[in-house]
């Protein structure tokens, strides 16, 4: 798996920040939307598939993961976490739930296990409350949350890919 090597990923804002705007430009240059979206449509939202696509475009895993979040049709979000909690989180356009950014990681999360030296082997179904504000949702509604984690030593933590399935279609509620 490719390593994450750019500490500047911590700043994801694009409003007036030259470095962030350069990241957006380079993302489009190295991973053109038209070409990258075709691959997103064929891949599962998981680090194994993202790593494969990163190799095809010769970019870092972090860059490919951010681009995947922006372009994948599924409800996905990417976060950088440390033991103390979430450093940053980038939800994709389909990810309509609020990520709980307060406090330390849930002890039952895959990220907490990995940061304590444990292992992760692909996406795992986790409790919705480990990551999300879920006042009006629960797993009985058929909503599932998948968590995939890779260590990112150069970023000082781990990358977490969240994928929610079973959300009601907002168009059906009209």
């Amino acid at each position: 798996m490719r390593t994450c090597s750019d500490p500047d990923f911590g700043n994801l804002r694009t409003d007036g920040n030259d470095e962030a705007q350069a990241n957006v430009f380079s993302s489009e240059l190295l991973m053109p939307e038209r070409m990258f979206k075709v691959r997103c449509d064929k891949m599962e939202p998981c680090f194994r598939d993202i790593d494969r696509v990163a190799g095809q475009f010769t970019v870092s895993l972090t860059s490919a993961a951010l681009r995947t979040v922006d372009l994948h049709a599924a409800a996905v979000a990417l976060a950088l976490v440390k033991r103390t909690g979430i450093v940053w989180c980038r939800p994709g356009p389909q990810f309509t739930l609020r990520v709980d950014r307060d406090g330390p990681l849930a002890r039952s999360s895959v990220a907490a296990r990995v940061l304590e030296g444990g292992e992760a082997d692909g996406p795992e179904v986790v409790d919705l409350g480990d990551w999300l504000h879920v006042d009006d949702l629960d797993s009985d509604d058929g909503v599932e949350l998948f968590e995939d984690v890779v260590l990112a030593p150069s970023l000082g933590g781990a990358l977490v890919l969240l994928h929610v399935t079973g959300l009601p279609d907002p168009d059906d509620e009209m």
Side-chain angles (χ1 to χ4, degrees):
M1 196 157 285
R2 281 167 184 61
T3 59
C4 307
S5 59
D6 188 350
D8 292 327
F9 280 111
N11 184 356
L12 297 175
R13 295 177 51 209
T14 58
D15 55 339
N17 178 309
D18 290 340
E19 182 69 28
Q21 289 178 359
N23 288 342
V24 169
F25 175 78
S26 64
S27 176
E28 181 60 35
L29 180 68
L30 297 172
M31 299 172 283
E33 181 174 347
R34 179 179 50 79
M35 296 171 67
F36 201 88
K37 179 88 171 95
V38 169
R39 285 158 179 88
C40 281
D41 292 343
K42 296 177 183 176
M43 72 178 186
E44 293 296 318
C46 66
F47 283 119
R48 180 194 70 243
D49 287 1
I50 292 171
D51 185 55
R52 183 178 39 77
V53 172
Q56 293 170 353
F57 285 88
T58 319
V59 297
S60 72
L61 178 67
T62 306
S63 295
L66 287 166
R67 194 69 164 150
T68 298
V69 165
D70 290 343
L71 299 176
H72 205 288
V76 293
L78 182 70
L80 174 65
V81 299
K82 297 183 179 188
R83 289 184 179 165
T84 55
I86 297 173
V87 177
W88 54 256
C89 181
R90 171 120 141 229
Q94 308 304 323
F95 199 94
T96 57
L97 300 172
R98 288 184 306 137
V99 174
D100 184 359
R101 298 178 190 209
D102 300 327
L105 298 175
R107 302 277 308 143
S108 57
S109 71
V110 178
R113 182 176 74 224
V114 168
L115 288 171
E116 291 172 1
E119 299 204 8
D121 188 30
E124 296 180 34
V125 176
V126 295
D127 185 84
L128 296 171
D130 284 357
W131 289 99
L132 306 172
H133 288 279
V134 290
D135 301 332
D136 54 341
L137 281 177
D138 63 45
S139 56
D140 293 339
D141 294 333
V143 176
E144 287 187 308
L145 176 63
F146 294 84
E147 179 183 354
D148 197 5
V149 180
V150 294
L151 282 175
S154 66
L155 296 175
L159 289 173
V160 177
L161 188 69
L162 301 172
H163 173 210
V164 179
T165 63
L167 288 173
D169 186 348
D171 294 335
D172 292 343
E173 296 177 8
M174 291 184 170

